[in-house]
Each structure stands twice: as structure tokens, then as C-alpha cells.
Amino acid sequence: MNSLIVLNKNDNVGVSQFIIPEKTKINGQEISTIDPIPFGHKVCLKPINKGDPIIKYDQIIGFASKNITAGEHVHSHNLEFREFDREFQVKNKKTIVIKIGTTSLIDEGKLSQTLLHSLAEKIKQHQNTHNFVIVTSGAVSLGGMELNYKTRPKSMKKLQVASAVGQIQLINEYKKVFNENDLQIAQVLITKNLIDDREQFVNTTQALNELLAQNIIPVINENDVVATEELKFGDNDRLSAIVSIIVNASKLILVTNKQGLYNFNPDKNSDAKMIEFIQFNSSQLNDLIPISSHGEGEGGFSTKIMAAQIAGFSGIQTQIISWSEQNFVDAIEGKQVGTLILESDKKIRLRKLWIAYGMQSTSKIEIDAGAFDAIKKNASLLCNGVVKIHEDFNIGDGIDVVLNDINVAKGIAKISSNEISDNTVLIHIDDLIIL
């Protein structure tokens, strides 16, 4: 068989065979064989340079770890394969999270086949350079149509029923269309308690990254069926921002029925103008939140802005577009289309992002201006900077840090409230994030 057999990197532990079919290429040249060849070896017919990409069926699976001369045997000591590092592709591709709203996905009560086919085709075309995660709406609308609901349900029980019914059609349509394009998907249902619980947060992070490492596209929705009001995100916009953080996305694309974000509600004001660029933490963006809150789905543009603020704070840019093949491709390739909401230039560790958006706070403390200046300079929060404690807390509890009635930071208590004393560290810098 014209194939390359690679032994496990740790040969002395045991042999694990990875059989890579024919059409394996190094630096654009197919690896060929000269028989008979010793087990686990093949012969390279042309020279290979260290760092040359190893490509199988147009997918990069690793790099040559050293120079290999023509005629030299190719084996596990020459090459570094993705099988040796399951996160290889995640680390070497940009990850894009796409959130598709109900108004874009549902057309006259049915799932838009045109959008789904276009989405799958464009993802396939960019799969060599990008990982993709899809956050999809539409389950409640599809279920409501099947159950002959006249309007979107408002009660929790009816929402859960509609979601449970609609989820089957939704994921089956994704699977059918994406399989036709030789793409594999996985359904992932999430509730808000995944970010409340540190262990669930970490486990979800690992699971999603493993799916991406195996070239499987996660299709994510909120698990309405088991969620209570307290455990709901309430909209898929903010869910998509949290997912973007979890997978360390380079961009969040929000697909909606408007061309972008406007300075006024374009449905009510004919003078409204689309905003091409805006900073995630600008006062102008914050002022736009009340402008729009309507839509067929649960979120309006207000939730899209809040999602962009969460993503932007985490170093992830957001692009709001209307659906078309060209718009989607332009957004993937970094071209100007719709509204680009610029991110912070600071990269924040995942643990601190969990503290900011996942951890539940049990107490609130007020600090003085001197303490705030100190933590802005990357110092821990000391007890002598605290002017008021609102609720008692224990070691490991979440604490909201307030200055002049504004939440300025959040952290994890290093000591309990009954251990407060001057110059003692209350929140260590590693467990503190400035908001």
C-alpha cells in the first residue's frame, strides 16, 4: 500500500500505529515508497527541509522536525505529526465563532437551505486556515411551527417544549448539509452554569478544543430543556461571546438581518447611519444598548452589543454582518464589511476571564482610590485599602470590588472576612481582574 506508517513518538512505551493514506505530501511533493521497506519507514524521493508542512488531503497535520535528504528513510523521528499533539490544529489555525440569529436562519417558518449550504461551502473553503464554531438559534422557532404555536412562547415550559422539538430538526439539517460538504459536526448544548462552575468551564474548554483538533465543527445552542431562569443566558449572543472566550477565538461574527450596527434604530429613524468601526469600551457603544431590543429571537441588537463588549474585553474582535456569501468571506478574511467592534489589545488568561464572567460573587467590598491605583499597577489588593465590607465571606469566595459605587474589579478571597488586618493580602493579583 502506498502509505506512510508512523510509530508512536514514545516507542519504548508501546507501539501505536497511525496509518496515513496515499496522497500524503511534504512541501507539495507526494511521499512515494521503494519496496521492500522496513516496518515503520518510507523513503523520501526528494529533499525535505526542517519546518516543511506535512499535508494529508489538503490538511496540514504536522511539520518536518529536521532536514531529510533524498533517499533517506522517513519515520517517526523525522516528522512531528498532529497525533503527537491533539491541540496542534487549534494552535496553528485561527478560530472563528459564528453566531446565526433566528431572523437570518428562519425563512417563512422554515430553515433557510440557501444559508446553510452557503455556510457549509464557505467553511469548507477556509478549513485549512481556520477552525469554525457555530452558535445557532432557531430551535424554538422551528419547534413552535411544528407545534402550531402562533407566536414565540413566553412561558418557560412552552419554551422548553418548543426547543426540544425544534432541536431535532435543527441539528439534523445541519448534519445533512455539512456532511454533503464532507464536514463533520457535533451538537453541543450548554447552560449558564458551565461558567458558574470552574470545573465545568475547564471541561467544556477541553472538550471544544478537542473537537476542533479533530476537525469537527461544534454546533452550539443553549440547552433550554434543562435550564431554569437562573441558569439561562437568555440569548445566544452572549452565549457566543462566552464560547469565543472558551475556544480563544480570533473573531466573533454575529450574523443578523441588518447590515451592521447603526447609530439609531434604522427601523424607526430614516437618518440612521451604519457604524463601520467602534471600540468595544467606548461610551458611544454603551449608549447604543437601549436603542434596540426587539426581534423574532430572544436577543436584539442590545444583546449583540453586550456580547461584543464581553468579547472585546477578552481580546476578541466582533463583526456584525448581514448574511451573504461575500459578506461572510470578507469577515473571515479580515475585510471591511458590516460593523467591526475593535477589541482590547490586552490578552487575558482564561482563569481571569472565568473570574470576570463565570464566578458568582458572594460579597461586595468598597475600596479607596489609593487601593485602586495600586491594583491598576498590577499589585494585589491589601486589606488596608478596604473601606467597607457589605457581606461576610470565606476563603475562596468571589468578591465584587467597588469604587464610588462602580464595580471596578472582581476577585477570589485569599482570607475570610473575619481575618482582615492591615497589610494582609485580601485578593492576590493572580486571582484579581480589573473590569
Side-chain angles (χ1 to χ4, degrees):
M1 181 177 67
N2 187 23
S3 65
L4 175 64
I5 300 176
V6 181
L7 299 182
N8 191 291
K9 194 174 185 180
N10 300 314
D11 291 330
N12 60 333
V13 177
V15 175
S16 174
Q17 298 177 17
F18 298 101
I19 300 177
I20 299 175
E22 57 184 327
K23 295 190 181 298
T24 298
K25 297 180 181 180
I26 299 182
N27 201 23
Q29 301 296 326
E30 283 194 23
I31 294 178
S32 300
T33 65
I34 301 174
D35 292 321
I37 300 297
F39 177 75
H41 294 65
K42 297 297 176 188
V43 169
C44 180
L45 298 184
K46 293 189 177 183
I48 299 169
N49 296 319
K50 180 179 179 180
D52 281 347
I54 303 163
I55 301 172
K56 179 181 74 173
Y57 292 117
D58 298 324
Q59 294 289 323
I60 297 176
I61 60 170
F63 297 100
S65 60
K66 56 176 275 189
N67 295 331
I68 305 171
T69 60
E72 185 177 347
H73 284 178
V74 179
H75 52 77
S76 60
H77 302 293
N78 302 114
L79 305 174
E80 295 176 347
F81 280 91
R82 183 175 64 82
E83 283 83 356
F84 301 153
D85 180 2
R86 300 300 291 169
E87 295 184 357
F88 170 81
Q89 286 186 303
V90 178
K91 293 175 181 176
N92 288 275
K93 290 183 181 180
K94 292 182 178 179
T95 298
I96 290 180
V97 174
I98 312 142
K99 186 270 175 177
I100 307 176
T102 300
T103 54
S104 301
L105 192 62
I106 306 298
D107 184 15
E108 296 183 353
K110 296 181 180 179
L111 207 58
S112 172
Q113 294 296 313
T114 301
L115 187 151
L116 274 186
H117 280 277
S118 295
L119 178 67
E121 289 169 6
K122 295 310 171 187
I123 285 178
K124 182 65 177 177
Q125 289 175 12
H126 290 82
Q127 200 179 29
N128 285 347
T129 53
H130 292 79
N131 294 306
F132 292 93
V133 179
I134 299 170
V135 177
T136 182
S137 299
V140 172
S141 291
L142 291 174
M145 290 296 296
E146 188 167 338
L147 294 167
N148 294 317
Y149 291 168
K150 302 301 182 186
T151 59
R152 180 183 172 88
K154 294 184 179 179
S155 73
M156 174 63 74
K157 293 300 181 186
K158 282 193 173 183
L159 276 170
Q160 289 172 322
V161 169
S163 178
V165 171
Q167 195 67 238
I168 297 172
Q169 181 184 348
L170 183 67
I171 199 65
N172 282 342
E173 288 290 342
Y174 268 101
K175 179 178 174 62
K176 175 177 174 291
V177 172
F178 276 61
N179 284 358
E180 288 173 0
N181 286 273
D182 196 27
L183 295 169
Q184 188 171 4
I185 67 165
Q187 182 181 32
V188 181
L189 297 176
I190 290 176
T191 54
K192 188 173 179 288
N193 63 340
L194 97 88
I195 61 169
D196 298 338
D197 186 301
R198 172 69 179 162
E199 185 175 354
Q200 282 196 45
F201 189 84
V202 172
N203 288 343
T204 303
T205 300
Q206 292 172 344
L208 289 177
N209 284 328
E210 179 62 18
L211 287 171
L212 295 177
Q214 296 190 37
N215 277 327
I216 299 170
I217 301 167
V219 178
I220 300 174
N221 200 352
E222 184 164 10
N223 194 347
D224 293 313
V225 177
V226 301
T228 62
E229 288 290 354
E230 292 76 21
L231 292 182
K232 281 179 63 62
F233 286 94
D235 62 85
N236 278 333
D237 293 321
R238 280 174 286 199
L239 172 59
S240 68
I242 297 300
V243 169
S244 297
I245 293 170
I246 288 174
V247 298
N248 193 26
S250 60
K251 178 178 285 188
L252 168 62
I253 299 175
L254 300 177
V255 179
T256 182
N257 62 341
K258 295 288 187 294
Q259 292 182 354
L261 181 64
Y262 289 78
N263 59 347
F264 295 101
N265 187 339
D267 294 330
K268 298 179 180 179
N269 191 326
S270 60
D271 294 327
K273 297 185 184 305
M274 194 183 75
I275 300 167
E276 291 189 355
F277 300 95
I278 193 167
Q279 192 70 26
F280 82 98
N281 57 354
S282 68
S283 57
Q284 181 190 5
L285 184 62
N286 205 55
D287 291 342
L288 292 174
I289 290 176
I291 287 179
S292 175
S293 60
H294 73 284
E296 292 178 38
E298 193 152 348
F301 263 79
S302 58
T303 58
K304 289 169 179 55
I305 294 170
M306 286 184 272
Q309 290 174 326
I310 293 171
F313 178 79
S314 311
I316 302 165
Q317 62 180 220
T318 300
Q319 201 151 4
I320 301 175
I321 63 170
S322 59
W323 177 260
S324 75
E325 286 188 5
Q326 192 58 54
N327 284 353
F328 183 47
V329 170
D330 286 346
I332 293 172
E333 296 179 354
K335 298 176 182 177
Q336 173 51 37
V337 61
T339 298
L340 183 65
I341 301 175
L342 302 172
E343 73 279 23
S344 168
D345 58 2
K346 296 179 181 178
K347 284 294 182 182
I348 302 171
R349 287 175 24 231
L350 194 60
R351 173 175 169 78
K352 289 204 173 188
L353 291 173
W354 172 76
I355 292 172
Y357 295 114
M359 182 189 68
Q360 293 291 317
S361 296
T362 59
S363 178
K364 179 171 73 174
I365 63 172
E366 295 181 26
I367 62 172
D368 58 32
F372 185 52
D373 288 339
I375 63 175
K376 284 196 296 183
K377 296 175 182 176
N378 210 34
S380 298
L381 178 62
L382 302 180
C383 294
N384 56 5
V386 177
V387 297
K388 185 176 181 180
I389 298 173
H390 286 257
E391 298 89 14
D392 290 337
F393 53 85
N394 296 311
I395 296 173
D397 282 352
I399 299 177
D400 288 326
V401 181
V402 176
L403 175 66
N404 298 329
D405 296 324
I406 298 172
N407 279 11
V408 294
K410 195 173 177 183
I412 301 174
K414 188 175 176 62
I415 59 175
S416 65
S417 53
N418 58 15
E419 297 175 297
I420 296 288
S421 61
D422 284 350
N423 295 321
T424 301
V425 174
L426 173 56
I427 304 176
H428 190 273
I429 186 59
D430 289 345
D431 297 325
L432 179 69
I433 184 166
I434 297 174
L435 303 175

